[in-house]
Amino acid sequence: MQAKFDFSELDGFKLLKERVVIDWNNPVSWLQGFNNKMPVIRIDRGLQENNIPVFTSFEDVVLNYNQLKLIFESNNKEWKAKLESCNCIYLILDKLTGKQYVGSTYNTRGIWGRWEIYANTGHGFDKDLESLINNDAAYAQKYFQWCILETLPLKILEEHAIDRESLYKRKFGTREFGYNNN
């Protein structure tokens, strides 16, 4: 006998979507009986709020251009507090070509200070990225993705940040195969 189920979302529960965590009786088995009671353990914040991903950790940061821009346009307090608290080594991935750009932040406004420029321009005045956007104004919106590779102290010296940045450029080959020219 083969069972067939037709699932659909119910009206009135949209606020709980991607937020409810249940106690799954048998974590080994996907199939559960209809009479199994699975109590709600908790209701999380969810994955996004107002189309902005919920900040969980620096290691989990993966933002497309629209998300990055929205964080800055809304002056999101949680993201701002986190991104102003440290500097970093970051990577921009071009999802069309696979090419990468490695950069670093080393200023008193932390990651927030540097990424605000990307949110406003899409290219952050990086030469190769700028030429892509000059040829197609929507290029960053269509293809760029930002992530944090390593956090750095807020008061890091510029030369120390650049040394770490250079290490990642060597690791990923972004001078030879990406968008880094230095």
Side-chain angles (χ1 to χ4, degrees):
M1 181 171 99
Q2 186 177 18
K4 184 177 178 182
F5 299 96
D6 184 22
F7 291 103
S8 61
E9 290 185 23
L10 296 175
D11 291 334
F13 292 93
K14 187 173 183 161
L15 289 174
L16 296 176
K17 187 175 182 174
E18 298 178 348
R19 298 178 58 208
V20 176
V21 179
I22 61 170
D23 182 12
W24 198 263
N25 293 332
N26 182 354
V28 178
S29 175
W30 172 249
L31 181 63
Q32 301 285 317
F34 69 90
N35 61 352
N36 286 358
K37 293 184 179 179
M38 294 182 236
V40 173
I41 297 171
R42 69 179 183 274
I43 299 175
D44 286 343
R45 288 178 62 192
L47 304 175
Q48 292 194 17
E49 292 176 353
N50 300 318
N51 295 320
I52 298 173
V54 171
F55 185 94
T56 53
S57 71
F58 291 103
E59 296 82 11
D60 292 341
V61 171
V62 179
L63 300 170
N64 64 40
Y65 180 69
N66 292 333
Q67 292 167 327
L68 183 72
K69 192 167 180 65
L70 195 53
I71 287 168
F72 285 89
E73 285 176 350
S74 67
N75 201 28
N76 185 281
K77 290 178 181 168
E78 183 176 17
W79 277 92
K80 185 174 185 177
K82 300 294 186 182
L83 296 181
E84 281 185 333
S85 72
C86 63
N87 283 296
C88 76
I89 307 299
Y90 62 91
L91 181 128
I92 301 172
L93 172 65
D94 180 335
K95 291 174 26 175
L96 176 67
T97 65
K99 288 185 174 184
Q100 301 169 338
Y101 176 87
V102 171
S104 62
T105 67
Y106 42 86
N107 64 75
T108 58
R109 293 189 61 217
I111 303 164
W112 185 268
R114 179 67 178 115
W115 283 15
E116 185 174 27
I117 299 167
Y118 286 111
N120 291 329
T121 64
H123 52 67
F125 300 104
D126 297 309
K127 189 173 139 185
D128 284 357
L129 304 182
E130 193 170 9
S131 69
L132 291 170
I133 292 172
N134 286 342
N135 291 330
D136 177 359
Y139 197 90
Q141 182 179 356
K142 292 188 284 189
Y143 304 117
F144 285 176
Q145 174 180 287
W146 282 257
C147 69
I148 295 172
L149 301 174
E150 178 183 351
T151 57
L152 303 172
L154 191 57
K155 294 186 178 187
I156 192 165
L157 296 173
E158 179 179 341
E159 53 267 22
H160 292 164
I162 291 172
D163 285 347
R164 296 299 298 163
E165 177 185 340
S166 293
L167 172 66
Y168 281 96
K169 288 175 182 177
R170 287 194 311 275
K171 284 182 176 186
F172 294 127
T174 59
R175 289 184 180 110
E176 298 83 5
F177 305 107
Y179 293 127
N180 289 108
N181 291 313
N182 56 355

